[in-house]
Amino acid sequence: MRSSFLAAAALISCTFAKTFEYDILADQGFANLKLHVSQKGFPSPETCTWENVAKRREWSRLTRAEKLDYIGAVQCLGRLPARTPASVAAGARSRYDDLVVTHILQTYYTHGNGNFLSWHRYYMWTYEQMLRNECGYKGYLPYYNWAWWAEDPASSPLLDGSDTSISGDGEFVPGRNATCVPNPKSCYQIMVPGTGGGCVTSGPFKDWKVNLGPITSRDTTVPPNPSPDGLGHNPRCIKRDLSVQSALEARDEYITDLIKDSANISAFQDTFQNPNYERLSVHLGGHNIISGDAGSDFFNSPSDPFFWFHHASVDRTWWIWQNQDIDSRRFTIAGTLTFMNNPPTRNATLDDIMTMGEFVGGSNITVANASSTLAGPFCYVYE
Ligand SMILES: *[C@@H]1O[C@H](CO)[C@@H](O)[C@H](O)[C@H]1NC(C)=O
Ligand SMILES: *[C@@H]1O[C@H](CO)[C@@H](O)[C@H](O)[C@H]1NC(C)=O
Ligand SMILES: *[C@@H]1O[C@H](CO)[C@@H](O)[C@H](O)[C@H]1NC(C)=O
Ligand SMILES: *[C@@H]1O[C@H](CO)[C@@H](O)[C@H](O)[C@H]1NC(C)=O
Ligand SMILES: *[C@@H]1O[C@H](CO)[C@@H](O)[C@H](O)[C@H]1NC(C)=O
Ligand SMILES: [Cu+2]
């Protein structure tokens, strides 16, 4: 049987005439995972084996029908009523918004801390389950491979503005200033304006309503939220400002360095997330590929459907890193409970409970439950 790597390399080489080291690491990692399972068994053999494992694929590898199925399911979440009561978030108008609210409410306890990777693994999976169980989606969570499109994200099938994209760039707004990332107080990188700046004008999400935020958007032209916590109703278009500068911060070389040079979970999660004067970090680089209103907002980023494609790649990158050395990288944790340990909190543990909140629903899981994509509630791999 031809290995998936050879098949993938052949496909990639005819599409791009280029092989990405990131994908080679992914394939080596997957081979390690298969060997590990053949020697030591599946982590949860009663619920997850190669017979039923889901395969998450890059958007460009979905057929037209699969893309339309996905897009329709996201729009369905955008139409279904919210379960979050107005007393919690008056701006939550859809089932999709329930997910945004839980991210906003938990931002300080799920980023720059011990459960960033595990909580987002669980969050991505929860969204995937909602698409499937509440909106009839037949496929699995697709991702956006940063490395493939780093030189020109607008040419990616995800962001090209076609009817099988998630809409593309915003309308070009001239005369804008550069802005600091992550913010003017910590100006690690000066981001020049991208090629958009206004509302998306074509594709399936041109009429989508962003209801919540802004909270910490770099786009200061967005009308403020009626509520200071950003949870009030503030309906508006999706604004994007595609940025090659940011996309290049998540290029093959940088992702590969992140995976290869991070000897432990502490180095991996910190290098992944923390900007410095040399590099924006792959996590921030990926978010700011679309920049704009929601795209640059630490709290409200899930309001733009690009979020899920980016964070599926965050999860894939963690999966690749774990697969390089499964025995030592599965049950490992570093960091505290709070963002940059502010305010100071105890160290996170594998027994900590993570929640999607009462209104998204689903059962709580522990950090340990999220230590493998073949264990806990999960059963998937990345192709
Ligand atoms: C750009 O920055 C200059 C100098 O700070 C300021 O005067 C101007 O109003 C800014 N323009 C925009 C569109 O924000
Ligand atoms: C983690 O690895 C980094 C290098 O990637 C190293 O500098 C650091 O000392 C290690 N930390 C621990 C706690 O082992
Ligand atoms: C928390 O973790 C750090 C880094 O691993 C360690 O140095 C420290 O002793 C831990 N604190 C407690 C209270 O266990
Ligand atoms: C889930 O965890 C949250 C926060 O720890 C807690 O408030 C809630 O009661 C838990 N839900 C269930 C069903 O155990
Ligand atoms: C999570 O881990 C706990 C403790 O090991 C276990 O009892 C529970 O079944 C796990 N949950 C899932 C969904 O696998
Ligand atoms: Cu997040």
Side-chain angles (χ1 to χ4, degrees):
M1 194 183 72
R2 203 173 158 79
S3 88
S4 67
F5 168 63
L6 291 177
L11 257 173
I12 291 164
S13 61
C14 66
T15 313
F16 305 95
K18 188 168 174 182
T19 305
F20 294 89
E21 198 175 354
Y22 180 36
D23 297 317
I24 295 173
L25 289 172
D27 213 74
Q28 289 169 344
F30 198 5
N32 289 343
L33 179 63
K34 287 175 180 160
L35 183 65
H36 195 270
V37 161
S38 73
Q39 291 172 342
K40 303 193 178 175
F42 285 92
S44 304
E46 59 295 338
T47 54
C48 184
T49 68
W50 299 137
E51 300 296 307
N52 64 332
V53 75
K55 297 184 176 88
R56 293 181 173 179
R57 286 177 290 152
E58 219 277 342
W59 184 249
S60 60
R61 298 288 159 78
L62 271 59
T63 64
R64 177 179 172 83
E66 288 168 337
K67 288 178 181 141
L68 294 175
D69 185 26
Y70 176 86
I71 290 164
V74 179
Q75 289 175 333
C76 158
L77 286 183
R79 276 191 312 269
L80 290 177
R83 298 186 191 167
T84 308
S87 58
V88 172
R93 294 305 161 98
S94 68
R95 194 70 183 115
Y96 187 94
D97 289 342
D98 289 338
L99 286 161
V100 181
V101 170
T102 212
H103 188 270
I104 291 175
L105 292 176
Q106 295 192 65
T107 295
Y108 274 125
Y109 314 99
T110 54
H111 298 84
N113 71 340
N115 72 16
F116 166 71
L117 293 164
S118 45
W119 188 85
H120 283 81
R121 172 167 285 172
Y122 174 38
Y123 189 48
M124 291 298 115
W125 177 84
T126 301
Y127 165 73
E128 181 186 51
Q129 297 306 300
M130 282 167 60
L131 291 172
R132 291 172 57 81
N133 300 336
E134 299 180 34
C135 285
Y137 177 48
K138 299 283 185 291
Y140 297 99
L141 189 69
Y143 67 95
Y144 172 90
N145 188 322
W146 308 297
W148 292 4
W149 319 103
E151 280 153 36
D152 189 12
S155 72
S156 72
L158 186 68
L159 292 169
D160 66 7
S162 67
D163 65 340
T164 52
S165 71
I166 54 163
S167 294
D169 206 353
E171 192 171 9
F172 181 63
V173 177
R176 292 168 298 139
N177 288 333
T179 48
C180 288
V181 182
N183 58 61
K185 275 190 282 180
S186 322
C187 196
Y188 286 115
Q189 302 259 327
I190 295 170
M191 178 94 43
V192 300
T195 47
C199 295
V200 301
T201 54
S202 68
F205 292 89
K206 72 172 166 40
D207 300 318
W208 179 264
K209 284 283 168 281
V210 172
N211 290 318
L212 297 145
I215 301 176
T216 55
S217 180
R218 280 186 297 110
D219 182 341
T220 52
T221 66
V222 184
N225 194 279
S227 175
D229 58 12
L231 298 173
H233 193 214
N234 190 18
R236 57 200 192 278
C237 69
I238 293 178
K239 289 174 84 178
R240 291 193 188 133
D241 186 26
L242 294 196
S243 167
V244 173
Q245 180 190 349
S246 197
L248 287 171
E249 295 288 334
R251 61 178 182 255
D252 191 40
E253 179 194 348
Y254 291 179
I255 312 163
T256 303
D257 287 353
L258 166 69
I259 295 168
K260 294 210 303 200
D261 298 346
S262 303
N264 50 60
I265 189 67
S266 167
F268 180 69
Q269 66 194 18
D270 289 353
T271 308
F272 212 153
Q273 292 170 91
N274 299 346
N276 59 42
Y277 294 108
E278 312 276 287
R279 292 190 189 176
L280 188 55
S281 80
V282 172
H283 172 245
L284 276 179
H287 269 295
N288 285 286
I289 291 169
I290 57 163
S291 287
D293 170 0
S296 70
D297 195 321
F298 186 36
F299 293 79
N300 190 40
S301 47
S303 274
D304 187 311
F306 177 73
F307 174 89
W308 311 100
F309 290 86
H310 164 58
H311 260 281
S313 259
V314 170
D315 185 59
R316 176 174 182 256
T317 304
W318 181 29
W319 179 78
I320 295 170
W321 183 82
Q322 289 188 299
N323 284 343
Q324 306 304 307
D325 184 357
I326 296 164
D327 285 325
S328 72
R329 294 182 178 180
R330 180 173 172 201
F331 294 113
T332 178
I333 189 164
T336 70
L337 302 182
T338 38
F339 177 63
M340 306 303 266
N341 197 31
N342 181 20
T345 40
R346 68 167 170 81
N347 286 343
T349 73
L350 292 167
D351 300 323
D352 290 344
I353 290 171
M354 304 188 291
T355 185
M356 285 295 115
E358 191 180 344
F359 307 113
V360 168
S363 41
N364 292 343
I365 66 167
T366 64
V367 172
N369 289 144
S371 62
S372 165
T373 67
L374 305 177
F378 312 111
C379 188
Y380 65 86
V381 293
Y382 288 95
E383 286 196 320

